[in-house]
Amino acid sequence: MEIDVQMILDWMKKTNEKMQENKSYLTSLDQPIGDGDHGINMARGFQEVENKVTKESYATPSDVLKDIAMTLMSKVGGASGPLFGTAFLKLSTAVKGSETVSYESFVNGIEQAVTGVKQRGKAEAGEKTMIDVWFPISEALRENEAFSADVLVDTAKQAMENTKEMLATKGRAAYFKEKSQGHIDPGSASSFYLFEALSEVLKERA
């Protein structure tokens, strides 16, 4: 199986649905250790993404991914917009020029997305950020040879839950030091919804 334009459109539609459904939950995660606006920002951002990509027609997956990136960068407040936007921009660049995205290209794209987010956020894995979902996903993809909906969703869920006991050392949550422990990182939770949505799209196409 390869990822085509329609799959990415379906992915964004499902992601937006999850962000809308879980807006209050994401905000509740952000209140103890952040600015309390993560759910609002992500719900608004992915609504804008869906509005944008459903109006356009795209020749390649890279074209859609670039529009997603630009929309997130311009419409999502706080640090999340630039970070999620960077991830999609790197993914877009990595798969440029192909009408469909092979498994190997996608794995490479996710790895480049992780590198981009690390550079942009000046963070590493283990610092209680969205990287703590994206990095395990990139490793799990590299260990497999084909798209697996179960691997994606299981890895993302476990990775998100692992952030609960981490001590935040980056971003707004770092101000809370030990008090940041015992809370799931909001960026890792929204990243989980993103990969859960992709998993569902893969299952539908299987």
Side-chain angles (χ1 to χ4, degrees), residues 21-46:
E21 284 165 16
N22 295 287
K23 179 164 79 169
S24 299
Y25 172 65
L26 288 171
T27 291
S28 75
L29 290 180
D30 198 32
Q31 278 162 344
I33 57 169
D35 292 328
D37 57 0
H38 187 70
I40 297 157
N41 285 338
M42 296 306 283
R44 183 178 62 226
F46 278 94

Side-chain angles (χ1 to χ4, degrees), residues 150-170:
D150 290 339
V151 166
L152 262 183
V153 74
D154 293 348
T155 303
K157 191 167 197 293
Q158 185 61 57
M160 170 187 71
E161 287 169 357
N162 289 347
T163 67
K164 191 169 186 178
E165 296 314 317
M166 287 178 185
L167 178 72
T169 55
K170 279 291 178 292

Side-chain angles (χ1 to χ4, degrees), residues 20-204:
Q20 304 308 325
E21 284 165 16
N22 295 287
K23 179 164 79 169
S24 299
Y25 172 65
L26 288 171
T27 291
S28 75
L29 290 180
D30 198 32
Q31 278 162 344
I33 57 169
D35 292 328
D37 57 0
H38 187 70
I40 297 157
N41 285 338
M42 296 306 283
R44 183 178 62 226
F46 278 94
Q47 185 62 63
E48 293 284 355
V49 165
E50 188 174 344
N51 294 349
K52 171 74 178 168
V53 299
T54 47
K55 285 181 194 149
E56 309 285 337
S57 58
Y58 297 98
T60 69
S62 177
D63 295 336
V64 199
L65 292 163
K66 188 177 180 186
D67 261 3
I68 294 164
M70 294 307 174
T71 305
L72 290 171
M73 284 179 177
S74 63
K75 301 294 184 184
V76 179
S80 299
L83 292 170
F84 277 87
T86 295
F88 277 97
L89 196 57
K90 292 288 185 184
L91 185 54
S92 161
T93 307
V95 302
K96 207 171 177 65
S98 318
E99 284 185 22
T100 59
V101 178
S102 68
Y103 184 73
E104 183 59 34
S105 292
F106 185 75
V107 175
N108 181 41
I110 293 291
E111 287 175 344
Q112 290 192 29
V114 170
T115 303
V117 173
K118 282 180 175 180
Q119 289 169 343
R120 188 77 192 247
K122 298 181 174 56
E124 291 294 329
E127 295 189 310
K128 203 177 180 100
T129 70
M130 63 184 277
I131 292 166
D132 293 306
V133 166
W134 284 75
F135 179 64
I137 286 281
S138 73
E139 288 195 309
L141 288 170
R142 182 55 72 194
E143 286 164 12
N144 286 269
E145 292 174 4
F147 287 108
S148 164
D150 290 339
V151 166
L152 262 183
V153 74
D154 293 348
T155 303
K157 191 167 197 293
Q158 185 61 57
M160 170 187 71
E161 287 169 357
N162 289 347
T163 67
K164 191 169 186 178
E165 296 314 317
M166 287 178 185
L167 178 72
T169 55
K170 279 291 178 292
R172 180 91 179 147
Y175 294 119
F176 296 89
K177 300 190 172 72
E178 285 75 18
K179 288 181 184 171
S180 67
Q181 288 174 302
H183 300 280
I184 286 173
D185 174 64
S188 71
S190 50
S191 297
F192 163 69
Y193 294 130
L194 182 78
F195 288 112
E196 185 185 41
L198 179 57
S199 166
E200 288 171 13
V201 172
L202 291 171
K203 271 186 180 152
E204 286 171 5

